[in-house]
Structures are given as C-alpha cells and as structure tokens.
Amino acid sequence: MSDFELPKELEPVQRKAVVLEWITIAYLISAVIFLALTLGQSQAMKAAWVEDLLSLLPAIAFLVANRLRRGGSSAKFPWGKHRAVTIAYLAASFALLVVGSLVFIDSALKLIALEHPPIGVIQLFGEEVWLGWPMLAALVWSAVPAFFLGRAKLKLADELHDKVLYADAEMNRADWMTAGAAMVGVLGIGIGWWWADGVAALFISLDIMRDGLRNVRAANHDLMDARPRTHDNSDFHPLVAEIEEHIDGLDWVEEGAVRLREEGHVFTGEVLVVPRDGEASMQRLSRLSDDVLEMSWKLYDVVVVPVEKLEVPRPGRD
C-alpha cells in the first residue's frame, strides 16, 4: 500500500477547488460584514446573516481536510488520514442542519408572537434613506457570487468524488436561496405585509434542514463503513458492481463478493473469492488485485482473499 496521491489529471482540479474555497472564505467574510451593518429587525435578514456566518465552516473544513489527507501513512495511522475528509463532510453537513434548525425555531417563535419587524430609515450622505434599500443591496451581494461559486464547486465535486465540496456547494445554494427569500421578506415589510418576513425565513429554514439532514445521514453512513455511494448520495457507487462483474468473468473463480468502504476520496476493502479447484495461486490472486486497483484511482487499498465459501451477501443482491 503506497501513500495516496490524486492522478495527475486531477491535480489541477484539486488546486482549483482549493482556490475556490479561499475565494469563498474571503467573499463570505465580506457578505457577513455587509449583512451585519444592515441587519435591522428583519427575521429573514437575520437568517441570511446566520447562514452566511456558518457557511464558512464547510469551506474551512475542506481546506483542513485537504491538508490532513496528504499526510500519508504512519505507525500511528497505518491507513493514512483519508477519513479526515469524511469527518469534514460530517462537520459541513451538520452546519447545514444547525443553520436550518436555528432559523426555523427563531422565525416560528416570531410569527407565533405576531411580531411586526420594523424597517426604519438611516442617514446616508446627509439624506434619509429607507433601510430596506441597503438591506436589498447586501442581499444581492450575498446571493449572486454564492450562486456562481456553488455551480463551479458542483462540477469539481463530481470529478474529485469530494463530498465535502458537494456539501459546501449545497451550502452556497442555500445561501443564494436564503438571500432571495429574504429579499421577498424585506419587500413584503415595505408594502405592509409584516408576516412575509417570517414566512420567507421559514421557507429558507425548511430547505436548509432537508439538505442538512440528508447529508448528515450520508456522512454517518460513511463513518459506519456503509456501501460507498456517489458524491451526491443519489445512488450506490458503480465501482462495486464493476468489480463483481470482473470477478464473475474469471474462469478460476466459482463466486466472489466485494466489500468496499469509503475513506474520504478513496475506497478500501476486500475482494472475497471462492476458487473453482479449491486453491488459488499467488500469481492469480496478485493479478486480480492489480486488475481491481487499475479500475479506478479511487481504489486505494483492496485485499484479495481466497475463502472456502462466502458468508457475506453480495451488495448487489441485498
């Protein structure tokens, strides 16, 4: 087992992802400051501010995990530190869930209390200006860059099989949706619909909670060594089925099974085979191991084990 490095063709993709995360952090800090200066009493504005603040966590988690996972194997960490990526994914997903829950509880309480959030005026360049206009400007800044950053990260997350990057892209999506709903809330207050602000914040929170809960569940499954899934958790990863198909085509194998688990970007696990003649030469086992590892850069450490009979179900037949 050698220390893991991304394929050369993916190294520029990883560097681009790192640059995007540093841009994201700088941008979010500016958005948080701008929103804080125009916060007022709006619940939707508060939701947007809290979300942008917590949106820093996935970006930071990605950068920390990116540094740790390159540490290589050691006596203390014989399999390396790839799970740092999975831990970062859990942190990023939990941030989404916390944001949604806080916004939902706060907004619901305000609506139940029938609070009418006021939007006053401020002195700007010697003139009285309705605070709603600076609020809308801050929300536009909170929405537009987040939209494009999120779209850029989604493509990179697919190429890198990086769930932290995917969760961060989801957070950026939540950012611009939050900002859009907050604009509706601010404009609603401006025309006298006091409830529009709270309703907008509730809409925001439910969508964020849904994404957060789905990603927290997926991160926990990864930590519990569940069968690997695609970066967006929409389906099982096809590599397991591809390895099984390869095993089924070997004339010296009676039957086989594959057990893979995710460790950040990469998969590790075992290939169990029942030889037809009851024996398997080292040459055959070594060749099968090499063939499996060559199927994808995501396969980091796969052990081929000959057994008398299979006592584990094949994932494709569960």
Side-chain angles (χ1 to χ4, degrees), residues 185-208:
V186 171
L187 291 172
I189 295 174
I191 62 177
W193 296 349
W194 65 268
W195 45 266
D197 183 63
V199 171
L202 282 177
F203 169 78
I204 295 165
S205 65
L206 289 172
D207 186 74
I208 300 170

Side-chain angles (χ1 to χ4, degrees), residues 261-276:
R261 54 188 174 273
E262 289 196 50
E263 296 192 10
H265 297 104
V266 297
F267 303 155
T268 64
E270 303 86 28
V271 173
L272 308 177
V273 294
V274 179
R276 289 188 186 277

Side-chain angles (χ1 to χ4, degrees), residues 46 55 62 94 104 148 180 192 201 246 253 287 306 316:
K46 186 184 294 184
S55 292
F62 174 87
F94 191 67
F104 179 84
F148 290 105
H246 178 75
V253 175
R287 186 185 303 122

Side-chain angles (χ1 to χ4, degrees), residues 2 55 59 120 127 145 206 238 284:
S2 60
S55 292
E127 300 289 336
L206 289 172
R284 282 176 169 176

Side-chain angles (χ1 to χ4, degrees), residues 41-276:
Q41 300 298 315
S42 167
Q43 285 299 113
M45 283 292 291
K46 186 184 294 184
W49 179 75
V50 170
E51 181 169 10
D52 279 358
L53 189 62
L54 289 180
S55 292
L56 288 164
L57 293 179
I60 294 171
F62 174 87
L63 294 173
V64 171
N66 179 62
R67 179 171 291 274
L68 287 176
R69 60 99 182 162
R70 293 180 298 173
S73 58
S74 64
K76 186 175 182 180
F77 297 100
W79 282 275
K81 299 178 181 178
H82 302 290
R83 281 196 188 269
V85 178
T86 306
I87 295 170
Y89 176 44
L90 178 60
S93 304
F94 191 67
L96 272 173
L97 183 58
V98 169
V99 167
S101 302
L102 289 176
V103 173
F104 179 84
I105 293 171
D106 196 33
S107 303
L109 290 175
K110 299 292 184 183
L111 278 174
I112 292 171
L114 302 179
E115 291 191 13
H116 292 53
I119 297 183
V121 297
I122 59 171
Q123 290 290 328
L124 194 62
F125 304 114
E127 300 289 336
E128 285 192 348
V129 177
W130 181 53
L131 182 58
W133 297 122
M135 284 181 171
L136 291 172
L139 290 169
V140 169
W141 177 243
S142 178
V144 177
F147 176 81
F148 290 105
L149 284 169
R151 287 176 65 88
K153 291 173 189 176
L154 281 177
K155 184 177 183 299
L156 302 184
D158 183 17
E159 294 183 62
L160 295 169
H161 185 69
D162 196 310
K163 294 185 177 182
V164 187
L165 198 59
Y166 178 76
D168 192 26
E170 288 283 282
M171 183 66 105
N172 291 145
R173 172 179 170 273
D175 287 342
W176 68 258
M177 288 185 64
T178 298
M183 290 179 199
V184 174
V186 171
L187 291 172
I189 295 174
I191 62 177
W193 296 349
W194 65 268
W195 45 266
D197 183 63
V199 171
L202 282 177
F203 169 78
I204 295 165
S205 65
L206 289 172
D207 186 74
I208 300 170
M209 287 169 66
R210 177 184 63 84
D211 288 338
L213 190 60
R214 178 166 55 87
N215 283 289
V216 165
R217 181 184 179 190
N220 277 301
H221 282 186
D222 290 350
L223 288 171
M224 294 172 65
D225 294 338
R227 183 181 175 186
R229 301 184 73 91
T230 54
H231 73 284
D232 59 358
N233 296 299
S234 60
D235 200 357
F236 291 118
H237 200 283
L239 265 177
V240 172
E242 290 173 14
I243 298 173
E244 287 179 344
E245 184 179 354
H246 178 75
I247 296 171
D248 291 341
L250 298 174
D251 57 7
W252 60 273
V253 175
E254 180 72 32
E255 58 179 338
V258 180
R259 296 190 301 192
L260 295 183
R261 54 188 174 273
E262 289 196 50
E263 296 192 10
H265 297 104
V266 297
F267 303 155
T268 64
E270 303 86 28
V271 173
L272 308 177
V273 294
V274 179
R276 289 188 186 277

